């Protein structure tokens, strides 16, 4: 921030100094003729400084590459954890794209205006174009609005494993209209937000895992229950399993009896 203030003060001082030299070298008519191009150059310079400053700011607040979080169902057996971003880290790419696009658009409009070009028709044309897109691409508008609400509700973040009903996978990328999921088989699914009716998040805070253990028909169920409990307690004391377990294993009874 201090560096940006120094840049602004320095540019203002150089501008005043340049104005003084122009008034001493050129006539008032020549100065008036040069005022437009010089102003355009100044506007473009300020826009470039804003672009550089905001890019550096977003890069500084970007999630670290080694950020880790809960392990999803697609994690490898070697214990590697998939990175999970915070809520701010998830929306940061979208915010970066919108802000930088606004900087470019405003800079160009101001530069055209200082060149003497009437930008009112451009603004009106952009408004009509946006209205036409909203009417002609209702699916696109629905995807964008649905995405805004999903992000506002913090339904999922980059790095979390989710199930949308038809497709499931780890969230790799979130854009303005869609989300990309990496399936455990390696496939990448791109799903528009408007086609997502509900989301099941498997990586948020905690989850209970239920599974069946096949035993011999003549197994003593009470012995099996006590054995499973001892195994669960032993796993809870192991360094590689202890951080991942909130409760030890518990047998809930017989689920099915078949011929084998």
């Amino acid at each position: 921030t201090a560096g940006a203030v120094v840049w602004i003060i320095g540019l203002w001082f150089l501008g005043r100094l340049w104005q003084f030299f122009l008034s001493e070298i050129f006539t008032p008519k020549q100065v008036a003729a040069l005022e437009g191009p010089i102003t355009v150059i100044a506007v473009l310079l300020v826009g470039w400084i804003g672009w550089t400053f905001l890019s550096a700011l977003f890069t500084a607040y970007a999630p670290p590459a080694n950020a880790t979080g809960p392990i999803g169902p697609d994690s490898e057996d070697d214990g590697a954890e998939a990175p999970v971003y915070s809520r701010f880290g998830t929306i940061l790419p979208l915010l970066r794209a919108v802000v930088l696009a606004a900087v470019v658009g405003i800079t160009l409009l101001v530069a055209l205006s200082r060149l003497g070009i009437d930008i009112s028709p451009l603004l009106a044309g952009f408004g009509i174009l946006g209205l036409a897109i909203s009417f002609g691409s209702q699916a696109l508008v629905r995807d964008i609005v649905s995405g805004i609400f999903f992000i506002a509700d913090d339904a999922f973040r980059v790095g979390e494993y989710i199930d949308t009903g038809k497709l499931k996978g780890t969230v790799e990328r979130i854009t303005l209209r869609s989300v990309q999921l990496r399936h455990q088989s390696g496939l990448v699914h791109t799903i528009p937000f408007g086609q997502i009716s509900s989301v099941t998040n498997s990586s948020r805070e905690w989850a209970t895992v239920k599974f069946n253990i096949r035993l011999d028909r003549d197994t003593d169920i009470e012995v099996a229950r006590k054995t499973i409990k001892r195994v669960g307690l032993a796993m809870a004391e192991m360094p590689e399993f202890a951080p991942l377990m909130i409760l030890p294993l518990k047998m809930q009874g017989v689920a099915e009896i078949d011929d084998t």
Side-chain angles (χ1 to χ4, degrees), residues 100-179:
L100 293 182
V103 170
V104 173
I106 294 174
T107 301
L108 292 178
L109 289 176
V110 173
L112 293 175
S113 176
R114 299 307 298 177
L115 285 174
I117 300 175
D118 187 9
I119 63 173
S120 299
L122 290 176
L123 297 177
F126 287 141
I128 295 174
L129 179 61
L131 189 62
I133 292 176
S134 64
F135 279 108
S137 304
Q138 296 184 10
L140 176 62
V141 176
R142 181 186 61 184
D143 294 337
I144 295 175
V145 173
S146 299
I148 292 174
F149 282 109
F150 273 120
I151 295 174
D153 292 339
D154 196 20
F156 46 81
R157 303 173 185 174
V158 174
E160 293 183 335
Y161 189 92
I162 65 173
D163 184 357
T164 63
K166 295 182 179 180
L167 299 171
K168 61 180 67 175
T170 303
V171 179
E172 279 201 345
R173 186 166 177 258
I174 298 177
T175 64
L176 196 59
R177 64 169 295 270
S178 64
V179 57

Side-chain angles (χ1 to χ4, degrees), residues 86-110:
S86 64
R87 186 175 186 181
F88 178 73
T90 298
I91 66 174
L92 189 62
L94 297 178
L95 186 62
R96 174 192 176 100
V98 172
V99 171
L100 293 182
V103 170
V104 173
I106 294 174
T107 301
L108 292 178
L109 289 176
V110 173

Side-chain angles (χ1 to χ4, degrees), residues 64-80:
N66 59 351
T68 58
I71 296 178
D74 60 340
S75 298
E76 300 294 336
D77 295 334
D78 58 2

Side-chain angles (χ1 to χ4, degrees), residues 20-44:
F20 171 76
F21 281 117
L22 287 179
S23 62
E24 292 294 329
I25 297 174
F26 298 100
T27 64
K29 187 175 181 180
Q30 292 174 333
V31 172
L34 293 173
E35 184 178 359
I38 293 176
T39 304
V40 171
I41 295 175
V43 169
L44 294 178

